[in-house]
Amino acid sequence: SINASSINLVAEQVIPWGIDRVNAPSSWNKAKGEKIKVAILDSGIDYNHPDLNVAGGISFVDNDYIDYVGHGTAVAGVIAADDNNLGVIGVAPEVELYAVKVMNENGGTLSDVLKGIDWAIENKMDVISMSFGTPIYSQALEYKLSEAYDAGIVLVASAGNNNEEVWYPAKYSSVIATSSIDMNNNIFSSNHGPELELAAPGKDILTTYLNNGYVYISGTSFAAPHVAGAAVFLKEEYPSLTLNEIRTKLERDA
């Protein structure tokens, strides 16, 4: 579950507090995500939004990867809202952003998620961001994510917002499980457990939304893309790092 408050934002570009908290601005003189491919497995992305540059994508639920729900568009803005003097800016505004639509307003299916991961592997994505979850273990999903990990893809997922054990896919060992914090660095509305690897901003996150709009939104769904964006920097600046080295550096830097 998430809490959202939609707004129209037409003023000069702002840096949301979460982007500042993960120290993205201090990295922009060295890296902004150029030529790093990020796949967002979600409800699609509103590719008509003036603050988002979407390089491509695919839909496994209908004929178009455009977002009709808003969730995927909000996630996309956290990672990659454009540096264009409009609205907001994302963690890594120059990434190659790909919409992998695996759900709609009714949720998604395991088979579509598996297809989405396959697509990301085949199209040589560098990072996969997953802001969805289930308490149900799937061997097929664990194996497919291990395949993506073996292909060199950084995997990041939200832990869930139910104040219980970490949900899958975040719970799998190949995935960076992310909980959320508020402005005071307190854990906010997050599942918990030993699988948690990082905590990132997840309360009152200002990001892109449907109809050329913006939204204040909360949940671990919006913590995960902060971490995915940070991983983008390491992929760009240190291309020889292994995935284990990337995970270790993310933890040490945090």
Side-chain angles (χ1 to χ4, degrees):
S1 62
I2 58 174
N3 298 313
S5 177
S6 183
I7 62 172
N8 291 318
L9 188 67
V10 295
E12 184 179 347
Q13 178 174 277
V14 298
I15 300 175
W17 78 267
I19 307 303
D20 185 62
R21 187 62 52 89
V22 298
N23 289 326
S26 67
S27 299
W28 287 336
N29 64 330
K30 296 181 290 185
K32 284 189 174 182
E34 186 178 3
K35 297 182 180 179
I36 303 299
K37 295 182 177 182
V38 177
I40 297 178
L41 268 66
D42 212 292
S43 59
I45 300 174
D46 182 0
Y47 48 74
N48 295 314
H49 198 291
D51 216 359
L52 293 171
N53 289 320
V54 181
I58 190 170
S59 174
F60 294 102
V61 297
D62 53 28
N63 296 322
D64 193 344
Y65 56 81
I66 197 167
D67 183 12
Y68 298 109
V69 178
H71 193 270
T73 299
V75 170
V78 173
I79 296 177
D82 200 10
D83 185 8
N84 58 359
N85 297 316
L86 173 71
V88 297
I89 185 171
V91 179
E94 293 182 4
V95 298
E96 290 187 25
L97 189 63
Y98 292 86
V100 182
K101 190 172 180 179
V102 295
M103 57 189 67
N104 56 24
E105 65 275 6
N106 299 314
T109 66
L110 174 60
S111 63
D112 287 341
V113 170
L114 294 174
K115 291 173 186 176
I117 298 168
D118 262 334
W119 185 91
I121 295 170
E122 292 167 2
N123 287 275
K124 302 185 185 306
M125 296 293 116
D126 295 294
V127 179
I128 296 176
S129 184
M130 297 172 285
S131 290
F132 57 85
T134 174
I136 302 170
Y137 169 78
S138 164
Q139 187 178 69
L141 182 54
E142 182 175 25
Y143 285 178
K144 185 58 64 178
L145 287 168
S146 293
E147 184 181 340
Y149 194 84
D150 290 342
I153 303 174
V154 177
L155 307 170
V156 184
S158 52
N161 310 315
N162 306 86
N163 197 30
E164 55 189 43
E165 291 185 2
V166 174
W167 279 18
Y168 302 100
K171 197 169 185 176
Y172 298 121
S173 61
S174 61
V175 181
I176 299 173
T178 306
S179 64
S180 61
I181 58 169
D182 62 19
M183 290 185 185
N184 297 314
N185 289 338
N186 296 315
I187 294 294
F188 168 77
S189 182
S190 179
N191 291 352
H192 47 79
E195 300 85 5
L196 283 180
E197 199 158 327
L198 290 168
K203 186 175 190 295
D204 298 329
I205 302 302
L206 179 60
T207 184
T208 50
Y209 205 58
L210 301 182
N211 301 316
N212 300 337
Y214 297 82
V215 69
Y216 281 103
I217 201 163
S218 300
T220 59
S221 284
F222 310 100
H226 282 91
V227 174
V232 164
F233 287 140
L234 298 183
K235 276 280 194 177
E236 181 179 0
E237 193 172 356
Y238 306 103
S240 63
L241 289 183
T242 68
L243 294 191
N244 285 338
E245 288 170 338
I246 286 174
R247 293 171 81 162
T248 298
K249 184 164 177 56
L250 284 170
E251 290 179 34
R252 288 177 178 173
D253 288 353

